[in-house]
Amino acid sequence: MAPQATIMSTAPDPFEAYNELVRRSRRSWALALVSATTTLLAMALAFMSFTRPLPVVVTSDDPREPRRIVTAGDTSTREIDAKRFFAMAATKLHGWSSEKVVEDLTDASFLMTTPWRKRFAAEMNAEVSVPPAVDPSGKATLLRTYVLARIRNELELDWPSLTCARSEGVWHCKGMATMRIQPLTGPPVDDPKFKKRLGIHATFVEIPVTPQSVDGLLVDFWDAKEES
């Protein structure tokens, strides 16, 4: 009987063995779940990195050469880029001709933030006094006077005077430009009365670069005053 008692005392508890197997099964299942989740996340990140368009912008150190974009994305704006955008906006806003002024100023409005575009449109559509020969009512919109003026503006930007500084995603630029008013047709006129010196102050906000906004900037303030 003694040997039998010894055998019974060393036999494993069947319920304890069952519980241990259950615990191991749960740990294995949890580990497999974590591994599967990690694998899926890694695959998702890899897929996003492959499908996300890379920003490729071809730009030059010459401010007269426009930027060119290959795919959409976000890019950082440099001082030379802000100066280039300043020159482009100045040319559209002040270098127009009566023949294409509506098109030129419409294109210029697409370079503006929504609040400034509304302000610009209100200014262009505001009525000003004109001679009765232009309109019997003595009033016409400012844009219409540009069309009827039959002139073309030649704008020359003074690059050495142009400065741009960035502050919290906003560019503040200022510079000088010379505008010469010439007849739309016929020989040029060399008259000091038709030559203006403009002092221009502008503020640009940064936006994501896309094929529609390749410069990554929009005009949020523009002021041009004639200086002696």
Side-chain angles (χ1 to χ4, degrees), residues 136-187:
S137 67
K139 296 285 186 180
T141 64
L142 182 60
L143 182 58
R144 185 162 180 253
T145 65
Y146 291 168
V147 175
L148 298 175
R150 305 296 295 171
I151 61 173
R152 58 183 175 85
N153 296 328
E154 298 176 349
L155 190 75
E156 181 181 352
L157 190 64
D158 183 5
W159 286 99
S161 71
L162 179 55
T163 60
C164 289
R166 184 181 185 275
S167 175
E168 298 180 354
V170 178
W171 286 90
H172 302 276
C173 300
K174 61 180 180 179
M176 302 294 297
T178 300
M179 184 173 70
R180 296 178 180 86
I181 303 174
Q182 297 291 333
L184 188 60
T185 59

Side-chain angles (χ1 to χ4, degrees), residues 201-218:
H201 291 75
T203 299
F204 309 140
V205 295
E206 294 182 350
I207 60 172
V209 173
T210 68
Q212 290 72 37
S213 57
V214 65
D215 293 282
L217 296 169
L218 287 178

Side-chain angles (χ1 to χ4, degrees), residues 36-81:
T37 303
T38 304
T39 302
L40 289 175
L41 289 175
M43 292 176 63
L45 290 174
F47 178 77
M48 291 175 62
S49 65
F50 283 123
T51 58
R52 182 180 180 181
L54 296 176
V56 179
V57 177
V58 180
T59 184
S60 169
D61 289 335
D62 184 352
R64 295 169 181 81
E65 293 185 14
R67 303 177 86 187
R68 294 183 293 110
I69 189 169
V70 179
T71 56
D74 295 332
T75 62
S76 59
T77 303
R78 307 171 302 169
E79 181 182 2
I80 191 67
D81 301 323

Side-chain angles (χ1 to χ4, degrees), residues 55-115:
V56 179
V57 177
V58 180
T59 184
S60 169
D61 289 335
D62 184 352
R64 295 169 181 81
E65 293 185 14
R67 303 177 86 187
R68 294 183 293 110
I69 189 169
V70 179
T71 56
D74 295 332
T75 62
S76 59
T77 303
R78 307 171 302 169
E79 181 182 2
I80 191 67
D81 301 323
K83 290 182 177 180
R84 182 185 296 107
F85 184 77
F86 181 100
M88 179 176 61
T91 300
K92 290 183 178 295
L93 288 169
H94 305 293
W96 49 263
S97 70
S98 293
E99 188 177 24
K100 295 179 57 182
V101 64
V102 175
E103 178 183 347
D104 291 341
L105 296 186
T106 299
D107 290 344
S109 70
F110 292 141
L111 304 177
M112 303 176 181
T113 61
T114 299

